Amino acid sequence: MSWFGHAMFLIESRSGIRIVTDPYDAETGYTPPEITADIVTLSHHHHDHNNVTAVGGLPRVIDTIGEFHINGLFIEGISSYHDEVKGEKRGRNTIYMFTIDGLTLAHMGDFGQPITGEQVKALQGVDVLFIPVGGVYTLDHKQAAEVVKILKAKVTVPMHYKTKHCTIKVAGVEPFIQEMPVVKHVGSTVLLSASTLPSEQEVWVMDYIQ
C-alpha cells in the first residue's frame, strides 16, 4: 500500500488489482498523482475526496454503501456520518472495508461521529485501519485514539492531517501519536501480508508520495 497524502491510498493485491481511495484535487495543496486503478472508492463527494478524473485506467467507481465482489476482492461500504450531528453539518460518509489476500483493511474516509455499536460490529476483526486524525472536519486526535482502542486493529495508519503540502486547516499528526503507545515511522510504500502483521497494536506513520 502507498500513501499520496490526505486520504488517498493505493492498495494493490497480489494478483495486481489496484484500488485507489478518496483521490483529491489540487486545491488540497497536494499534486494529484498520475495513477491508474481498477477500482476507486469515494467516502463522500467533497473535492478533496472525489477527484475521479485524476485516476486513469477506466476504474469502477464505488461511492455508496453495500457489498461489492470485484475481481475476487470483497468490498463493503458501511454507512456513517461526516460530523457528530448525523450529517447535518457535512453530510454522510462511507467507511470501506476491503478483504484482500487474507487481510481486512478499513478506510474510514472523513469519519466525524462517535462510533456506534453497529459500526464496531461491522468493523470487528479489521487488521489495518486508515483513520482521520486532524480534527475540524473529522475526528480529532483524542476521538481517533478512542476508536483505535475500540477496534484493536493490528496496524493503524493515520491520515487526513496537516503536512508540508496540505493547505486544509487541520491539525498535524503529532497530538495523535502522543496518544498511542507504539508508533513506527515507515516509508511511503509498505508491503503487508497476513503473516507479517505485528503481534501487538502498532501505529504506522507513513511518508506521502509527491
Side-chain angles (χ1 to χ4, degrees):
M1 61 187 183
S2 300
W3 186 39
F4 294 90
H6 213 47
M8 184 177 181
F9 292 85
L10 169 66
I11 301 167
E12 187 169 1
S13 73
R14 287 195 198 111
S15 62
I17 304 300
R18 294 163 61 89
I19 301 169
V20 167
T21 66
D22 283 11
Y24 49 70
D25 65 14
E27 291 183 37
T28 58
Y30 298 106
T31 301
E34 293 185 5
I35 193 170
T36 62
D38 302 288
I39 302 165
V40 174
T41 59
L42 309 178
S43 62
H44 61 296
H45 282 279
H46 289 168
H47 73 92
D48 53 334
H49 293 262
N50 73 342
N51 188 19
V52 176
T53 59
V55 183
L58 300 175
R60 176 169 174 180
V61 177
I62 300 175
D63 64 352
T64 187
I65 62 173
E67 297 183 352
F68 308 89
H69 297 265
I70 305 171
N71 296 336
L73 308 184
F74 176 63
I75 301 172
E76 182 177 5
I78 300 165
S79 179
S80 65
Y81 293 107
H82 198 325
D83 55 59
E84 74 283 5
V85 286
K86 296 186 176 180
E88 290 183 16
K89 292 180 182 178
R90 290 180 286 274
R92 302 189 73 91
N93 176 73
T94 302
I95 302 164
Y96 288 103
M97 284 186 65
F98 308 95
T99 303
I100 305 172
D101 298 334
L103 286 171
T104 301
L105 305 90
H107 187 284
M108 301 292 283
D110 266 10
F111 189 74
Q113 62 163 93
I115 195 165
T116 67
E118 185 176 357
Q119 290 162 347
V120 171
K121 183 177 180 181
L123 293 164
Q124 188 172 18
V126 64
D127 299 306
V128 181
L129 178 68
F130 304 95
I131 190 167
V133 303
V136 185
Y137 306 104
T138 68
L139 301 178
D140 64 21
H141 63 285
K142 286 190 175 294
Q143 294 164 330
E146 284 303 311
V147 172
V148 170
K149 291 173 185 175
I150 291 168
L151 295 181
K152 297 180 173 62
K154 291 298 185 184
V155 173
T156 294
V157 179
M159 63 178 184
H160 207 281
Y161 57 80
K162 189 73 170 178
T163 67
K164 177 182 176 181
H165 287 87
C166 179
T167 57
I168 296 173
K169 294 182 180 179
V170 290
V173 74
E174 293 79 10
F176 171 73
I177 63 178
Q178 288 173 6
E179 300 281 335
M180 297 287 99
V182 181
V183 178
K184 293 184 176 180
H185 292 264
V186 298
S188 56
T189 298
V190 177
L191 298 177
L192 186 62
S193 67
S195 62
T196 59
L197 285 171
S199 58
E200 303 294 334
Q201 290 180 259
E202 296 181 355
V203 170
W204 290 5
V205 179
M206 296 186 71
D207 297 328
Y208 60 92
I209 300 170
Q210 273 287 279

